[in-house]
Amino acid sequence: MTISRLLAPLCFAFALSLASGVLTAGEPAAEATAPLDAAPSDAATAPVSEQQIATLLSQLDSENFAVREDAARRLGELASLPRYLAALAANLRRVSLDPATSFEVRTRIAPILEQLRAEPSSGKNALPAQQGEAPTPEEIDRLAAALTDDEYGVRVGAIARFDWLLRHRENVPQIYATLKRRMADPTLGESGRRDIAPVLERARGAWLLGPDDEAVLGPVSDEQMVAWIDLLAMPLAADRDDRRRAQRRQAEQEVLDLLARAAYVNKVAQALGERLAKPGLTDDALQRIENLLHWTKPALVAEFWFVDPSAGNTSTGELRHGGVQYLLVGVPSLGEGAERPSHFDRIDDREAHCVSGNALSEGNYPVGVLFPHPQQESAFFHLVNLPAPRRRMAYEHYLRTDEEQRARDLSRRTLEAIAARKSPLQPSEILMLGAVDREEFSRFVGPYFMAVDDTPFEIELAANTPAGQTSRHGLICLMLADRGTPTAIPGLLKAIEAKRILPPTPGGPCDMPWIAALAIASRVQERREWPDVDDWLASLVPRTEPLVLPRRNVKPEEINSEDDAPEIGEMYPDLGATAAAILLRRHGIAPSVYGLEPIGRQLLIHVGCQGHRFTQAHQREALLEWWGDRQTAPSATSAATASPRR
């Protein structure tokens, strides 16, 4: 059972069952783990020059299979070593963007490129797009021609180059215009059109998602616009050959592109309306014209997002996109099986007004951010304003982009909107933090704590949480202990120092801010996630504040669970001892070696932060002495074999 499920009573009908997958109730963590400073591999110790990296890449195309295999293996090893990332990225970029690179080489470097594009610990791209890379018109023409080359490797190389160039917004209009001209070439056969179409579609998506710059595509006369519409109004019987069908497709695309340009929307809408008024349109022509006119109507989308417990190991937690409902503003829409029509009578980029709906009741709702589904657990809505044709078309392409990136973007906007309010979160909003992107959530908490005063929950709402009758900020810290990353630490420690989080109480005895910080530290696997985590943990070892308040005078009515009851001997985990246990495990040493005894508080076990205490006072000093020796002579003392001073 996860923290989020344990929190479910807070929201009753709004309860969210988040099932993180990161937390497991049960036995405490093992007493020893593999040391983090194990002996480096040969690849890590042998220096490799940039020229050697280039040589390895050239060997990927060797006629000798063994040479190709060995080169791929060595490159894969280098990709795991931070000091080689820059040189490796530069050479891989050069090879991947060369249209002459063979399919064999592309296949072998593909997994290395993926490894470099998204480092798991930081989420940063090790292959940043270079700014100011402006291709010449001649290069774009050559690449467009290469898309229909007889050689598969040439086509793949051209696609890779286009995909790279399209990352730079300044290149997009020129590429899109060139590909449109190439597609309109009457000498281009159906096979060539199929080769160009996917790249053209990506280029159009990039164009739509960019600014509406009138200068880049040039002016279009009224006569040309009417000619395209007339071509669309011709009956299908006129399509006697491939050329005529291509002309019709091209005309439809040109009209859609005009609708995506703000200066032409009214002109096109008027021309389409006038064409509809003329007699003699066949049913299929009527449908084509009406479909184009439909793009001019203001619309909105209601996105459905939900929590997927099976996806708990992804960077965004469990947030998944479940579908969309398209609606025209001011037009009721009664879906199949729906009891009531869905109807929004107004919307802008901040707020929408719902007249009626099946899930939403009448009222105002936020636009562009997540908000809890009022009827379904673990579900959310996201309203998108689509007031103009370009926004509607761009949204279609946005839906095809990476879902996790869209979830991160949505998480950031949602948390920014919450922070801007500077008001206490509602229980359902706190639980929503269990679904948003971990990094965005972690970045949010510190500034939020500093800007918004903490307040206690009402007893009936908070009593059933794992932390007891904690405060609102305390409950956020509970979510942070579950899902937080090292990004949260600076802001969290600042809030702790400023006493922005209410202290523990007999009804909520857990020191949730410190528990959250220790839980995050216990999850750090690589030093680059939190470079000075060990020094930070060591700095806490002298501190003896309890992580759970002693409850010697607890009254029976104040006990919310067996976990809150007074324990035999009144033994409670303290801050320094728990930090010491995490530090030792990080270096492959069992905490028991230094007399650290685990204290079985279930809340701490749930968040991966098993509480500890020193059984003898002098062992705290002994551990600090070991750490001091290790700092002054790191090469002389192995972390895995260090002997305690008793």
Side-chain angles (χ1 to χ4, degrees), residues 329-624:
V329 178
V331 180
S333 175
L334 185 63
E336 184 176 355
E339 295 181 5
R340 293 175 297 278
S342 297
H343 182 199
F344 286 81
D345 61 352
R346 59 177 174 81
I347 184 173
D348 55 32
D349 287 338
R350 298 185 61 183
E351 189 177 73
H353 180 258
C354 178
V355 177
S356 69
N358 290 278
L360 299 179
S361 57
E362 182 178 1
N364 294 323
Y365 294 90
V367 172
V369 299
L370 284 174
F371 60 92
H373 192 296
Q375 298 173 359
Q376 296 185 33
E377 296 181 358
S378 311
F380 312 92
F381 278 125
H382 169 221
L383 300 180
V384 183
N385 183 28
L386 304 175
R390 187 183 188 91
R391 290 268 288 267
R392 292 183 61 181
M393 296 176 196
Y395 178 76
E396 295 287 338
H397 287 269
Y398 184 66
L399 277 183
R400 302 172 198 170
T401 60
D402 180 67
E403 182 179 304
E404 286 200 16
Q405 182 59 53
R406 287 189 282 121
R408 282 190 286 271
D409 293 341
L410 183 53
S411 297
R412 183 182 63 257
R413 293 199 305 272
T414 301
L415 295 173
E416 287 175 350
I418 290 174
R421 287 190 344 229
K422 296 184 179 181
S423 61
L425 290 172
Q426 296 304 310
S428 61
E429 293 177 314
I430 294 177
L431 290 175
M432 190 167 63
L433 300 178
V436 298
D437 177 72
R438 297 172 189 270
E439 283 293 319
E440 295 297 340
F441 168 43
S442 300
R443 192 173 293 111
F444 157 83
V445 288
Y448 177 79
F449 287 161
M450 296 301 293
V452 179
D453 291 337
D454 196 7
T455 57
F457 273 125
E458 297 178 6
I459 298 299
E460 61 268 23
L461 287 179
N464 292 324
T465 73
Q469 296 167 2
T470 186
S471 66
R472 292 176 187 269
H473 288 5
L475 188 56
I476 294 174
C477 286
L478 181 59
M479 304 299 295
L480 195 64
D482 182 348
R483 312 186 65 249
T485 73
T487 300
I489 293 300
L492 178 60
L493 295 181
K494 182 179 179 181
I496 291 174
E497 183 179 357
K499 298 182 179 180
R500 296 294 298 169
I501 305 164
L502 292 176
T505 65
C510 297
D511 194 335
M512 289 312 306
W514 279 116
I515 290 173
L518 292 171
I520 292 171
S522 70
R523 291 196 291 269
V524 173
Q525 296 296 316
E526 301 181 35
R527 287 190 179 92
R528 58 182 175 175
E529 297 179 55
W530 183 351
D532 59 350
V533 60
D534 290 342
D535 291 333
W536 179 77
L537 288 167
S539 73
L540 296 178
V541 173
R543 301 182 62 165
T544 59
E545 305 99 294
L547 288 177
V548 181
L549 288 183
R551 308 193 68 186
R552 296 182 178 87
N553 299 321
V554 66
K555 299 177 182 179
E557 61 270 19
E558 293 178 330
I559 298 177
N560 299 313
S561 68
E562 292 181 3
D563 192 46
D564 292 333
E567 299 177 4
I568 297 175
E570 295 293 347
M571 297 183 299
Y572 289 85
D574 71 60
L575 175 59
T578 304
I582 297 172
L583 177 65
L584 289 169
R585 285 201 184 97
R586 285 181 50 77
H587 293 276
I589 303 175
S592 58
V593 171
Y594 281 88
L596 283 162
E597 178 182 65
I599 304 296
R601 302 291 299 190
Q602 284 300 307
L603 170 63
L604 276 68
I605 295 173
H606 274 303
V607 297
C609 177
Q610 171 68 67
H612 282 78
R613 74 179 188 101
F614 283 101
T615 55
Q616 298 182 44
H618 77 274
Q619 290 164 327
R620 194 184 301 264
E621 287 71 28
L623 187 145
L624 288 171

Side-chain angles (χ1 to χ4, degrees), residues 162-396:
F162 269 131
D163 284 345
W164 181 270
L165 292 174
L166 287 171
R167 297 183 188 181
H168 305 275
R169 181 169 290 177
E170 63 271 19
N171 298 332
V172 170
Q174 186 180 16
I175 292 173
Y176 182 46
T178 300
L179 292 176
K180 281 178 65 175
R181 288 195 303 270
R182 179 66 175 150
M183 186 67 92
D185 186 344
T187 65
L188 186 66
E190 284 299 315
S191 176
R193 296 183 194 284
R194 286 194 297 270
D195 290 333
I196 295 175
V199 185
L200 176 63
E201 186 68 6
R202 289 196 290 276
R204 184 170 191 266
W207 173 67
L208 288 169
L209 290 168
D212 184 2
D213 188 347
E214 282 301 320
V216 294
L217 292 185
V220 174
S221 67
D222 292 350
E223 292 76 16
Q224 178 63 78
M225 175 184 64
V226 171
W228 285 330
I229 294 174
D230 286 342
L231 188 58
L232 290 171
M234 295 178 65
L236 286 176
D239 292 345
R240 297 186 177 90
D241 53 36
D242 291 344
R243 182 178 179 181
R244 179 54 62 87
R245 284 193 293 271
Q247 288 176 336
R248 187 190 298 280
R249 285 195 300 264
Q250 183 68 19
E252 183 172 16
Q253 192 63 67
E254 294 291 358
V255 174
L256 285 170
D257 284 357
L258 282 180
L259 286 172
R261 301 166 67 177
Y264 289 90
V265 173
N266 291 336
K267 284 184 178 182
V268 175
Q270 181 179 347
L272 289 171
E274 291 173 352
R275 193 64 185 86
L276 278 177
K278 292 181 180 180
L281 286 177
T282 61
D283 289 343
D284 58 280
L286 182 67
Q287 187 66 53
R288 283 195 296 272
I289 302 298
E290 287 181 342
N291 287 344
L292 288 169
L293 197 56
H294 191 274
W295 285 104
T296 65
K297 303 179 186 302
L300 74 148
V301 162
E303 291 185 350
F304 176 78
W305 291 80
F306 68 99
V307 172
D308 179 7
S310 66
N313 292 325
T314 66
S315 62
T316 54
E318 307 87 8
L319 193 60
R320 289 290 176 265
H321 187 237
V324 299
Q325 181 182 14
Y326 288 87
L327 298 169
L328 293 179
V329 178
V331 180
S333 175
L334 185 63
E336 184 176 355
E339 295 181 5
R340 293 175 297 278
S342 297
H343 182 199
F344 286 81
D345 61 352
R346 59 177 174 81
I347 184 173
D348 55 32
D349 287 338
R350 298 185 61 183
E351 189 177 73
H353 180 258
C354 178
V355 177
S356 69
N358 290 278
L360 299 179
S361 57
E362 182 178 1
N364 294 323
Y365 294 90
V367 172
V369 299
L370 284 174
F371 60 92
H373 192 296
Q375 298 173 359
Q376 296 185 33
E377 296 181 358
S378 311
F380 312 92
F381 278 125
H382 169 221
L383 300 180
V384 183
N385 183 28
L386 304 175
R390 187 183 188 91
R391 290 268 288 267
R392 292 183 61 181
M393 296 176 196
Y395 178 76
E396 295 287 338

Side-chain angles (χ1 to χ4, degrees), residues 25 141 143:
D141 286 337
L143 288 171

